[in-house]
Amino acid sequence: MLLLNATVAAMDGAPAYGLVGKGAVAIRAGRIAWAGPASELSGEFKLDESLDLEGRLVTPALIDCHTHVVHGGNRAREFEMRLEGATYEQVARAGGGIVSTVAATRAASESDLIAGALTRVDAMIAEGVTTIEIKSGYGLDIENELKMLRAAKAVATQRPVRVRTSYLGAHAVPPEYKGRPDAYIDEVCIPALEAAHAEGLVDAVDGFCEGIAFSPEQIARVFDKAKALGIPVKLHAEQLSNLGGARLASSYGALSADHLEYASAADAEAMAKAGSVAVILPGAFYTLRETQAPPIEAFRIHGVAMAVATDCNPGSSPMSSLLLSMNMACTLFRMTPEEALAGVTRNAARALGLEDAGQIKPGLRADLAIWDVEHPAELAYRIGFNPLWKRIFGGAL
Ligand code: DI6
Ligand code: FE
């Protein structure tokens, strides 16, 4: 297939979105074969079936690199509690929070979980997303962590999307291990990781390093197991306080450290050295009415690649719009629209360890989004507006 009369935002690291006006993109066998100014298009592609974009913008398809879309139930009641004055931490300590989603997730069947996830995944697909990272972490026992990961993998058999799974057994201490987090790590978290890995269900290992979750020492034990199994790691770090999670993750060469509101300039430096991506999650910041913004300027100065994701989850970020995440990253954190778009394309791919997506470049997968806009800044600028015209997944419209 040949896309003609396109405005191409290649997002390949070239300045100004890698923008090419009057462009063309040639797709063959599910891959991008060529992209550039139509005037330079070689004759061999001109025989391919063509689609006239009438000047529309084509970008790499979007990648949501941090989600919890597989979960049971919802937490609208906690939303009400917080509006009545309770904080996120108070709700969590009162037995609500993550643990209440654990009860709902345990009660759900695998097919219930898939059906629930698909409602959120469909909203993402409608906004041009073709790759979604999905975490476990609401099962918190061996059987239910496996059930979540199987449901996550099943999403990709039900819809034209790619799924990357992250095992998040170290998300919260379940009620039956209350006050015994070390025993939970040894008796459940690590054995469940081994079992999930043996079933081919784990693309990365994640954790929640926080006062209401796990200490750096406990996370390190999970990461040691991941390392022994050859699985890359990432971490929810510095979301509510600074416990040194970003530095810990960096010391394991993590794909990413995520949230990072309380990260310091020294953390940014460590992440830069490790090549870890900073995953910015403005939906959680917004929902929790957090006031400390992540150190975006330090990430820029140290050259830390920034991704942007929804963190779609039932508690701190009940949001499935990646376009809205981009808008929030700009308005709340002063990221530029170009940084936000790189954050949901090139840098999101990097945060998932994917080298075949996130840019418009020959050889990469033909995962593309075509938008009814004139300029890429419009994607982050509008609020609650979806200008997607068509989505191409592996070369198929
Ligand atoms: N940080 C988050 O924002 C989500 N998990 C995490 O570790 C929140 C999960 C939840 O509240 O259900
Ligand atoms: Fe999260």
Side-chain angles (χ1 to χ4, degrees):
M1 185 167 41
L2 179 62
L3 308 180
L4 286 174
N5 208 354
T7 305
V8 181
M11 301 310 294
D12 56 357
Y17 303 91
L19 209 57
V20 178
K22 297 192 174 39
V25 181
I27 300 169
R28 284 197 172 166
R31 301 261 159 184
I32 296 164
W34 187 87
S39 60
E40 294 170 19
L41 182 68
S42 109
E44 63 167 310
F45 297 117
K46 291 186 180 158
L47 300 172
D48 290 359
E49 181 196 338
S50 70
L51 179 67
D52 184 351
L53 302 197
E54 297 167 329
R56 289 183 180 87
L57 178 73
V58 54
T59 66
L62 307 191
I63 297 171
D64 196 341
C65 70
H66 180 138
T67 89
H68 309 250
V69 291
V70 169
H71 59 258
N74 76 74
R75 307 231 295 272
R77 175 59 197 131
E78 278 175 30
F79 178 57
E80 291 184 318
M81 280 168 71
R82 288 203 310 275
L83 285 166
E84 287 156 12
T87 67
Y88 182 69
E89 278 169 297
Q90 282 164 347
V91 169
R93 289 191 195 281
I98 293 173
V99 164
S100 74
T101 297
V102 171
T105 303
R106 287 178 174 178
S109 68
E110 188 178 318
S111 58
D112 292 341
L113 290 180
I114 296 166
L118 288 178
T119 63
R120 298 176 274 277
V121 165
D122 285 341
M124 291 169 175
I125 288 173
E127 287 190 349
V129 171
T130 56
T131 302
I132 304 176
E133 184 258 17
I134 304 178
K135 301 175 194 298
S136 69
Y138 292 119
L140 307 185
D141 62 28
I142 296 176
E143 176 196 338
N144 285 295
E145 284 295 301
L146 290 170
K147 179 177 77 182
M148 282 190 77
L149 291 168
R150 289 185 197 118
K153 289 282 186 199
V155 164
T157 67
Q158 308 269 316
R159 293 292 187 275
V161 285
R162 257 209 299 186
V163 167
R164 302 295 285 179
T165 51
S166 298
Y167 171 72
L168 180 56
H171 193 199
V173 181
E176 62 275 17
Y177 279 90
K178 199 167 188 223
R180 296 185 297 132
D182 286 300
Y184 170 75
I185 296 285
D186 294 333
E187 294 166 20
V188 178
C189 188
I190 289 173
L193 169 55
E194 289 169 325
H197 174 67
E199 245 187 73
L201 295 171
V202 185
D203 296 319
V205 169
D206 197 350
F208 188 20
C209 187
E210 193 58 65
I212 54 169
F214 297 96
S215 68
E217 295 70 30
Q218 288 157 348
I219 296 292
R221 284 200 281 134
V222 180
F223 281 5
D224 285 338
K225 175 53 74 176
K227 200 170 157 186
L229 296 173
I231 311 170
V233 302
K234 58 174 76 176
L235 190 62
H236 287 69
E238 274 64 90
Q239 180 185 6
L240 308 169
S241 62
N242 190 317
L243 293 188
R247 269 166 291 147
L248 174 79
S250 300
S251 76
Y252 284 84
L255 290 170
S256 67
D258 304 38
H259 286 286
L260 300 165
E261 277 82 343
Y262 287 82
S264 65
D267 296 330
E269 215 179 327
M271 289 173 63
K273 280 206 186 94
S276 302
V277 175
V279 178
I280 304 300
L281 303 168
F285 174 94
Y286 167 86
T287 300
L288 302 180
R289 303 182 79 232
E290 182 56 73
T291 50
Q292 176 152 331
I296 301 295
E297 189 55 26
F299 294 141
R300 286 191 188 114
I301 289 169
H302 294 288
V304 178
M306 291 182 279
V308 173
T310 60
D311 195 15
C312 181
N313 76 65
S316 65
S317 191
M319 172 167 88
S320 45
S321 173
L322 201 49
L323 291 174
L324 182 55
S325 308
M326 292 166 67
N327 172 269
M328 288 178 170
C330 296
T331 299
L332 299 173
F333 300 154
R334 316 315 284 167
M335 285 176 71
T336 67
E338 186 174 0
E339 285 171 334
L341 186 56
V344 297
T345 55
R346 184 176 71 246
N347 292 341
R350 196 171 139 187
L352 297 180
L354 296 174
E355 287 171 3
D356 63 350
Q359 306 177 47
I360 299 181
K361 220 162 73 170
L364 269 59
R365 280 177 61 92
D367 287 355
L368 302 168
I370 305 169
W371 311 92
D372 239 324
V373 304
E374 288 174 14
H375 190 273
E378 286 177 65
L379 298 177
Y381 152 71
R382 292 189 197 276
I383 300 170
F385 181 73
N386 179 7
L388 187 79
W389 185 63
K390 286 189 194 307
R391 193 191 75 130
I392 295 176
F393 177 66
L397 266 177

